[in-house]
Amino acid sequence: QKEVEQNSGPLSVPEGAIASLNCTYSDRGSQSFFWYRQYSGKSPELIMSIYSNGDKEDGRFTAQLNKASQYVSLLIRDSQPSDSATYLCAVNPPSNTGKLIFGQGTTLQVKP
Amino acid sequence: DTEVTQTPKHLVMGMTNKKSLKCEQHMGHRAMYWYKQKAKKPPELMFVYSYEKLSINESVPSRFSPECPNSSLLNLHLHALQPEDSALYLCASSQDTIRAGAEAFFGQGTRLTVV
């Protein structure tokens, strides 16, 4: 079992729709969770961090964390073509010091 | 300001060359990282520096040699690389090591091609 799992996609949504990106992790003691956006040929850009169960909203982005289910998700409301990118889920598990474990990333395509 | 600056942006080097990648941040972050990313793969951690000391080496071959001259600078010295080392090399920094939950910010990366 991979430590952090994401569906590679592509996930295709129409412009204006809600995009839902999901991530599961294996280390139940993990405490810190991050979502990065990476455009093709560019570096990862941090868009959300979440540490507590529940929802965290920032503009059109909402991160959701459920530690009991070992599940973290990212919702993008009113999706725009400019949101088309690969979204990387990253976890800082307690068994790894100073290290981020990345999922494989989900490619999102927002169609006009 | 969450800027991490990497130079050069692109580098082509021969297998017998010696080159260095540079990374700089002025956010007062005390943890800095080197990651390697191959096409369509997630970043893979190479090295972690915490308070200017090497704290993690992910069994990286010795042809990659990191250096942290001060708290703002991180170098990666390259020597006798192989074509399979061609990748995007990413520097990142965080306020403290990620185990404390600190957010990590990436530089723009250096696209390295070994010929």
Side-chain angles (χ1 to χ4, degrees):
Chain A
Q1 181 187 8
K2 292 182 181 177
E3 293 181 84
V4 179
E5 294 204 54
Q6 296 180 255
N7 187 322
S8 61
L11 172 66
S12 184
V13 300
E15 184 175 357
I18 295 175
S20 178
L21 306 163
N22 304 315
C23 173
T24 58
Y25 58 96
S26 60
D27 194 324
R28 183 170 289 278
S30 299
Q31 297 293 326
S32 307
F33 307 88
F34 309 91
W35 283 100
Y36 287 85
R37 177 176 62 197
Q38 187 171 26
Y39 292 112
S40 180
K42 302 296 185 182
S43 65
E45 174 191 8
L46 179 67
I47 53 173
M48 292 287 285
S49 59
I50 187 166
Y51 307 100
S52 304
N53 279 331
D55 295 359
K56 179 181 178 182
E57 187 175 320
D58 184 1
R60 296 187 296 113
F61 299 97
T62 299
Q64 299 176 317
L65 176 60
N66 184 326
K67 290 185 179 179
S69 300
Q70 296 173 239
Y71 176 92
V72 59
S73 65
L74 180 70
L75 301 178
I76 306 175
R77 289 182 298 282
D78 188 24
S79 295
Q80 302 297 309
S82 59
D83 294 326
S84 299
T86 295
Y87 289 80
L88 295 161
C89 173
V91 176
N92 171 224
S95 56
N96 292 281
T97 57
K99 180 175 181 177
L100 277 176
I101 308 295
F102 283 90
Q104 292 295 307
T106 298
T107 299
L108 173 66
Q109 297 175 346
V110 181
K111 299 193 173 181
Chain B
D1 181 13
T2 56
E3 187 167 343
V4 178
T5 303
Q6 288 188 245
T7 56
K9 288 186 171 46
H10 301 274
L11 178 62
V12 178
M13 62 184 291
M15 291 187 283
T16 58
N17 291 160
K18 286 184 181 181
K19 296 286 185 183
S20 297
L21 309 185
K22 298 187 183 299
C23 175
E24 188 170 7
Q25 56 88 14
H26 294 290
M27 297 178 280
H29 288 176
R30 303 313 300 266
M32 296 186 76
Y33 313 82
W34 281 115
Y35 282 83
K36 173 183 177 179
Q37 188 177 25
K38 302 281 274 185
K40 300 192 184 302
K41 297 290 187 183
E44 295 179 16
L45 183 67
M46 300 174 72
F47 303 103
V48 179
Y49 273 83
S50 178
Y51 290 83
E52 300 164 49
K53 294 190 187 310
L54 182 64
S55 60
I56 294 181
N57 176 342
E58 289 286 281
S59 302
V60 179
S62 60
R63 58 185 183 269
F64 296 92
S65 176
E67 177 195 21
C68 188
N70 60 55
S71 60
S72 300
L73 293 174
L74 186 65
N75 298 323
L76 185 63
H77 303 297
L78 314 173
H79 174 56
L81 295 193
Q82 303 298 310
E84 58 264 30
D85 295 321
S86 299
L88 180 67
Y89 287 83
L90 296 161
C91 174
S93 72
S94 64
Q95 189 169 18
D96 202 332
T97 51
I98 292 176
R99 61 182 164 175
E103 298 170 328
F105 299 94
F106 284 86
Q108 296 168 310
T110 294
R111 178 75 60 188
L112 175 67
T113 303
V114 181
V115 296

